[in-house]
Amino acid sequence: MAVALAWGCAAAGNARPSDVTPGGFEWAAERAAAEFGVPKEVLLGVSHESSWWEGNHGRPSTKGGYGPMHLTDTTSGKTYAHRPGEGPVDATGTDDPSEHTLRAAAAMIGLAPGTLKTDERQNLRGGAALLASYQRQITRGISPDPGAWYGAVARYSQAADTATAGRFADGVFTAIRAGRERVREDGQTVSLSKRPDVRPSTSQLASLGLRALPATPVPECPAELNCRFVPAAASNYQVATRNSDGIDVDFIVIHDIEGPYDAGISWFQDPASGVSAHYVLKADGSGATQMVATKDIAFHAGNYWVNLHGVGIELEGYAAQGPTWFTPAQYKATAALVGYLARRFDVPLDRKHIIGHDNVLPPRPARAPDAHWDPGPYWDWERFMALLDADAPRKHGAEGGAGRESIGIGQAVMIAPDYGKNPQTVSVCDPKCRTQKQPSNFLYVRTAPGDNAPLVSDRALHPDGTAGTDRIDDWGATAMWGQEFVVADVRGDWTAIWFGGQKGWIHNPAGIHTRPAPNARIVRPASGAESVSVYTTAYPRAAEYPRGVTASEQTRFDMYAFPQGQAYVAARTPVDADDFFPATPTRPEVVVTGAQKYEVIQYSRRLATVNHAQTRH
């Protein structure tokens, strides 16, 4: 899709230090604000809270919002499919005006709705017109005082309840009072000068006629998240006593629903689905539903041992079909929940513990081709981990990389492409195949240092050893942001890493796509061992199970290699081999802990486990 921009040479990536450079984003925002009588601070604050000042090339968000003002239009002629086994979901939207603010804004400025989807300047004008119309409805006038626009900003959120509308407005006015600065994907620097003197008229919220949320059972959520508890079907999870019975929570697993919020909740309430997640989050960040208590085991990752130690979070949205970017509100709500859970369960804030469903392998090789790959290439891990204040990520928009001088063979590096400057091409088949190219969170891994070299082959996906492809579900040749690997070689602009049992090459000129990982725990085969067996679970040996319970099978992935000479990055400590059996009418719950320990390693795009006794550090 061609996107009409008025940014002049800024669209080619030239940074604009001045906030009013003619033709630039701030210039357009200032003109739109002045045209409709909106304080510039308010318009920029709303845009920052809605899209982080990005237009996203005319693509809709997971909430159906377009452009820097996130004007919504959920009308679509397309029906998107659930993941395998979940059935179709109609994503054509409703007649609710909150889902069609783009059409209302377009009518106000006399343009076709499609223009506001792709032309950022007109999108800013439409958003300003909409804000001004709300201000007149609430105060019957236009004020130059930014604080007098609190009600209009809350109304702009399109929230149906006071808590969500107030949360959005509070976020906007926090940005106004504290100031913000960010480098857009096109290289423009956008600034919102701090205005600590602004006093928002929060009393206006009561005049909007929004409903107050009813009292509900208290869910396990941070205070800033609008949470409720709706139980999943009893057969879709196991009752347990995690974190008090020796079973620790070690992973927080992020998924996406591949459909609307309510459809995900209904699916987990359906006993026939056999699946659940602990939480489901709305695309606009306005609500979260807890469906399984964190002490219990939800069935979400397709690997029981990961479920045993994981908390699953499903996001309203799509990994590749249709809408392909997640809203700032959804990132912030997800970060609030993940941060709360990480503090509660002492889960490290790194990408060996904060993972996607696409980092989990099934427990048996035969199921690998059906492994899920959500939240997919368009979840901005760098931005998300920065919101968590994780140690590894740099602030979003900062420049630089590891630097060639920092890349040494045998050292660990973190995969760290700048999301906005890392467009990757993938093929999507649903069932007709198409290619799409946009900012992504991964790098392709090749068999040799060259753009024309084949992609590496993942033997679980390609048993015959044929090369990987750029199909989005052919995940075996992609390394994702935040993952850590050991450098195997360096040639020119290419860096080799030990990846999935082989030497894989990533394009990494001047180390721009990696950063050093000096604190990484590197494991290698023990001295004298030819290789180490690779698994995806960590169960005890059969003889360690008590009578009356059936031992779980620790299945070796024979197609995967970890031979002498290779090295991989492991989680901060080995984990116990363990298993769990829920209580029955004739016996209490059973926790089985074996004598062995396992290392959880970043083996490829997916995590794997290896016996600690077979490795050295």
Side-chain angles (χ1 to χ4, degrees), residues 587-602:
R587 61 159 175 77
E589 67 176 37
V590 176
V591 175
V592 184
T593 303
Q596 295 179 317
K597 290 183 178 292
Y598 282 81
E599 300 282 0
V600 178
I601 63 172
Q602 288 191 323

Side-chain angles (χ1 to χ4, degrees), residues 45-53 67-70 156 168 325 327-329:
V46 169
S47 178
H48 183 273
E49 192 71 4
S50 300
S51 70
W52 280 312
W53 296 326
M69 295 303 293
H70 198 255
Y156 192 92
F168 178 84
W325 59 280
T327 66

Side-chain angles (χ1 to χ4, degrees), residues 39-116:
K40 177 186 175 182
E41 299 92 337
V42 171
L43 190 66
L44 281 173
V46 169
S47 178
H48 183 273
E49 192 71 4
S50 300
S51 70
W52 280 312
W53 296 326
E54 294 289 355
N56 290 288
H57 305 282
R59 297 185 299 267
S61 76
T62 54
K63 192 61 179 175
Y66 291 84
M69 295 303 293
H70 198 255
L71 297 170
T72 57
D73 185 12
T74 60
T75 302
S76 169
K78 183 171 183 176
T79 298
Y80 305 111
H82 264 304
R83 293 184 299 242
E86 294 188 359
V89 172
D90 185 2
T92 56
T94 71
D95 294 329
D96 188 330
S98 71
E99 296 188 6
H100 302 284
T101 61
L102 184 138
R103 293 176 178 273
M108 290 178 185
I109 63 174
L111 293 174
T115 301
L116 276 68

Side-chain angles (χ1 to χ4, degrees), residues 444-450 452-457 465 467-468 491 494 496 502-506:
Y444 280 115
V445 185
R446 300 186 179 275
T447 58
N452 296 323
L455 297 174
V456 297
S457 177
R491 294 185 193 173
W494 292 79
Q502 56 197 304
K503 184 185 290 187
W505 293 85
I506 58 172

Side-chain angles (χ1 to χ4, degrees), residues 56 59 140 147 161 193 263 280 339 411 415 426 445 487 533 538 587-588:
N56 290 288
R59 297 185 299 267
R140 302 186 183 280
D161 63 89
S193 299
V280 183
Q411 297 179 350
I415 304 298
V426 297
V445 185
V487 175
S533 297
R587 61 159 175 77

Side-chain angles (χ1 to χ4, degrees), residues 238-243 245-248 250 297 299 303-309 363-364 537-546 548-555 575-583 587-596 598:
Q238 286 180 339
V239 175
T241 53
R242 295 195 301 180
N243 266 53
D245 59 6
I247 299 294
D248 294 331
D250 295 320
I297 302 164
F299 301 154
N303 179 318
Y304 181 79
W305 185 80
V306 175
N307 289 339
L308 181 60
H309 293 281
R364 292 178 295 279
T537 56
Y539 291 127
R541 290 169 290 196
E544 294 175 314
Y545 284 77
V549 297
T550 303
S552 296
E553 184 178 357
Q554 178 78 349
T555 304
V575 298
D576 291 326
D578 57 6
D579 205 350
F580 174 82
F581 299 87
R587 61 159 175 77
E589 67 176 37
V590 176
V591 175
V592 184
T593 303
Q596 295 179 317
Y598 282 81

Side-chain angles (χ1 to χ4, degrees), residues 80-83 85-91 228 230-233 236 255-283 288-292 298-300 312-318 330 374:
Y80 305 111
H82 264 304
R83 293 184 299 242
E86 294 188 359
V89 172
D90 185 2
R228 62 174 182 166
V230 175
N236 291 355
H255 310 247
D256 72 67
I257 299 169
E258 294 298 302
Y261 178 70
D262 291 336
I265 294 169
S266 297
W267 185 241
F268 297 150
Q269 289 178 306
D270 184 353
S273 74
V275 295
S276 63
H278 291 90
Y279 299 91
V280 183
L281 268 63
K282 294 191 77 171
T289 297
Q290 184 176 8
M291 304 196 70
V292 178
F299 301 154
H300 58 96
I313 300 173
E314 287 274 0
L315 307 179
E316 179 181 23
Y318 303 84
Q330 191 169 33
D374 54 304

